[in-house]
Every structure is written in structure tokens, then in C-alpha cells.
Amino acid sequence: MLARHVAAGAVPGALALVARGGSVSVDAVGSIAFGGGVPMRRDTIFRVSSLTKPIVAAAAMILVDEGRLGLDDPVDALLPELVDRRVLRRPDGPLSDTVPAVRPISVRDLLTLRMGLGTVFDGSPIAAAAAGLRSFGPPTDAPREPPDAWMRRLGELPLIRQPGDAWLCATGSHVLGVLVARAAGEPLTDFLRRRLFDPLAMRDTGFTVPPSTADRLAVCYGDDGSVLDDGGRWLETPVFPDAAGGLVSTVDDYLAFARVLLDRGGPVLSAAAVEAMTTDQLTPSQAAEAADFLDGGGWGLGLAVDGGRYGWDGGLGQSWRTDAASGTIGILMFQRLMCPEAAALMTDFWSAVDRPSG
């Protein structure tokens, strides 16, 4: 199946992993760039875009486990930029036409992407005002200024919706990364390394790619097949560690993270934290309003949930699901901005994973 999509020119290469119990199957097809060259391998490094969100959510839940954050606590003490929010009377209305927020933004609001700000693709005044923040756009359009400066500018904007009212991707994850760093008292990069990546031996996961492994980073293509990113951005330490989509990783690193959730926390999280992450937090009306993103499912804390399954997709060609009942973990990675060809590859992968054996 992978070879068919590669031969059709949808992607230069793809990597698929399926784990059931102690059995792990990995298939690598094609190369890391169009035109051949370096073959796709099990240790190829990918920009995992929105698959960053579950990892940073888990980091936040470590702090919840330790009592340094409370899920329903206001974020005001650690994020004073978000105190006394104003909310647009109409999402497409003028920025001056606002009402007071009915309550403060909570930690849970950030994890559930219900803080009141998120992706807008229209020509509204709030979309224009937020354009410079680089938080409402495509997966490669990450903030490019230090977190404190970015938060000050975000705090000048009104909310689009009342806190807790609606699921809006993905500004809450950007803000969550800043919150985790401030609560932990250290840069987000350091906290993730110390509390998640090192304990789980996720050696190739981070916000940068060391020069020694740069030859393993796949080239990223746009929806039209042109080069979107050749990797240079990930060779330098980012000014803003993007908790919504800035990590790179490998299939085995991500499998290590997925297994922690399947094993109810392992060495880094409590079972209660995993239960909260993988339990739908949305009301039916909120899920219906976000159906274009969630495809009829719901949202837990940092990831999508749909019955006994949970996981998420990345806009640059990544897909992960865990079926808790069967103990199956599926991970697909390639590097092309979401388009019909990329969506078809994902659909065929999950059909193959779900096909009954025998």
C-alpha cells in the first residue's frame, strides 16, 4: 500500500509502524526526498507538527500530578497577560465591540483548546490582528519571538469565544507551552528533555535536530509538491519552542510515548492523568461545532478521543492512534502538507491497520 502511494508521486517516502503487544511491524518505503537519494529508514526524523500537542499535554499533566498545576485553576497567576479577558460580541465583529469574559481561563481550557482563541481563516478583524502572532496559520507558521513577548501581544487581543465555550485549534497549545515552562521554572525544552524524553529514551525528539543527525531529517513538501522546508529551521534553537507543532521525532520515539499512555502512565505519569487525557472533555454541541477537525469524535486533554481510540494527526503528514481495547498502536509518518493525496494515504493506512487478519 505504501509503495503504491510512493509510486504515484503522492510522497517520496513513507514510514508505517504497527505495534500489538510485544510485536512491532515497521515498513519503510521510498526515500526522504523526491528524486531518490537517502532511503526512508526506521530512524528517519520527521517534523511531527500537531503530534507535538499530546506530548506537551503530558508534560502539563506531570505538573498536575505533582500539584504544581490544577486542572480547573485559573492561569492568571502564571499568565498575567490573560487576566481580565474581553470577548468579542461577534467573532467577526470589530475588536472594540466586546463584553467581559464570564470567568478566567483555566488550565483545562488550554488542554482542551477551549481558551477562546484559535484558528480563524476568514477576513475578520481578529484574524488580521492575530496574523503577526503566527499562531492561527499552517503547521510551519510558528511564533518567531520569545514567549514573554508573544504572550504580551496575545494579551492585547480579545477572545473570539468565552472561555470553555468552543474547541478552537491551536492557540491553546501555544499558550500551554508557556504555562508549562513558567510552572516548571525552566525552559520548555529542558523540562521536556528531563521529564519525558530522557526517561523514555526518546533520543531523537526535540525542537532542534543536531548536526550529527541532520542527514536523517526528511525533506518537507507543500500541498503542491514543492519544497516547503529543507530542514534549516530545525538546525537552530527556536526563539519560541512551539508546543502546538514544533517537535521533530521518529516512529520509535513516538511509540515510546504512545506506550506510556497505553500502559497507564509508566514511569512518568499517573494512571489518573492518563485517564483524564484519554477521556472526552467536550459537550456534544462543542464536538459538533469542531466536526471538521475532529471527524465526529471528541477531545480529551491534548489529543482526540473516539470511543476506545485516542491519538491525533499532524498537518505535515503524521497520524497516530491507539486502540486501548486491542492494545494496538499505529503510527504513520511522511512529510507533505495535508492535501488530497496525503489524506488518501492516511485513509489507506488506517484501513490496512483495521483490516481483520486471516
Side-chain angles (χ1 to χ4, degrees), residues 52-71 107-108 110-111 172-173 175-181 183-184 188 191-192 195-196 243 257 268-269 273 277 301-302:
T52 301
K53 292 178 174 66
I55 290 176
V56 178
M61 295 307 291
I62 289 174
L63 297 171
V64 172
D65 278 341
E66 296 176 348
R68 291 195 272 177
L69 289 176
L71 280 177
V107 175
R108 189 186 301 271
L110 300 183
L111 285 159
S173 294
V175 177
L176 183 66
V178 180
L179 178 75
V180 168
L188 179 64
F191 185 73
L192 291 177
R195 301 301 302 272
L196 279 174
F257 172 72
V268 295
L269 282 171
M277 288 181 67
L301 302 178

Side-chain angles (χ1 to χ4, degrees), residues 91-355:
D92 60 348
L95 301 186
S96 59
D97 187 13
T98 63
V99 297
V102 296
R103 63 168 177 80
I105 296 167
S106 70
V107 175
R108 189 186 301 271
D109 291 332
L110 300 183
L111 285 159
T112 58
L113 298 181
R114 294 182 297 188
M115 70 167 290
L117 277 175
T119 303
V120 282
F121 295 116
D122 56 20
S124 64
I126 187 66
L133 290 170
R134 296 176 174 264
S135 64
F136 302 162
T140 54
D141 197 25
R144 305 287 176 86
E145 58 189 318
D148 290 352
W150 185 85
M151 283 298 305
R152 282 195 295 272
R153 289 214 292 149
L154 185 77
E156 295 171 357
L157 297 179
L159 301 181
I160 300 172
R161 301 286 290 271
Q162 287 285 348
D165 272 7
W167 187 96
L168 297 169
C169 193
T171 309
S173 294
H174 291 302
V175 177
L176 183 66
V178 180
L179 178 75
V180 168
R182 291 183 181 180
E186 60 183 310
L188 179 64
T189 302
D190 295 347
F191 185 73
L192 291 177
R193 176 65 54 195
R194 187 169 60 85
R195 301 301 302 272
L196 279 174
F197 302 157
D198 285 348
L200 300 180
M202 297 171 66
R203 298 180 181 87
D204 288 315
T205 303
F207 290 107
T208 57
V209 179
S212 60
T213 61
D215 61 332
R216 292 195 275 126
L217 179 65
V219 177
C220 185
Y221 294 90
D223 54 1
D224 62 356
S226 63
V227 174
L228 184 66
D229 174 57
D230 63 3
R233 169 184 162 192
W234 269 266
L235 298 178
E236 301 178 357
T237 301
V239 173
F240 187 104
D242 179 12
L247 287 176
V248 297
S249 192
T250 62
V251 289
D252 282 297
D253 276 13
Y254 216 89
L255 174 63
F257 172 72
R259 278 182 162 156
V260 162
L261 300 187
L262 183 60
D263 294 341
R264 315 304 293 169
V268 295
L269 282 171
S270 69
V274 174
E275 180 69 21
M277 288 181 67
T278 57
T279 298
D280 191 2
Q281 306 282 320
L282 303 186
T283 67
S285 62
Q286 289 170 346
E289 189 175 349
D292 287 348
F293 284 92
L294 301 179
D295 196 25
W299 187 261
L301 302 178
L303 44 76
V305 296
D306 188 359
R309 273 188 170 190
Y310 55 84
W312 194 223
D313 298 326
L316 296 178
Q318 308 77 42
S319 190
W320 154 59
R321 297 289 185 278
T322 294
D323 187 318
S326 66
T328 300
I329 297 169
I331 302 171
L332 173 68
M333 291 194 181
F334 55 92
Q335 292 282 236
R336 184 173 180 180
L337 187 66
M338 194 53 59
C339 60
E341 295 88 347
L345 174 49
M346 285 187 179
T347 297
D348 284 354
F349 170 70
W350 288 114
S351 294
V353 172
D354 295 338
R355 188 177 300 127

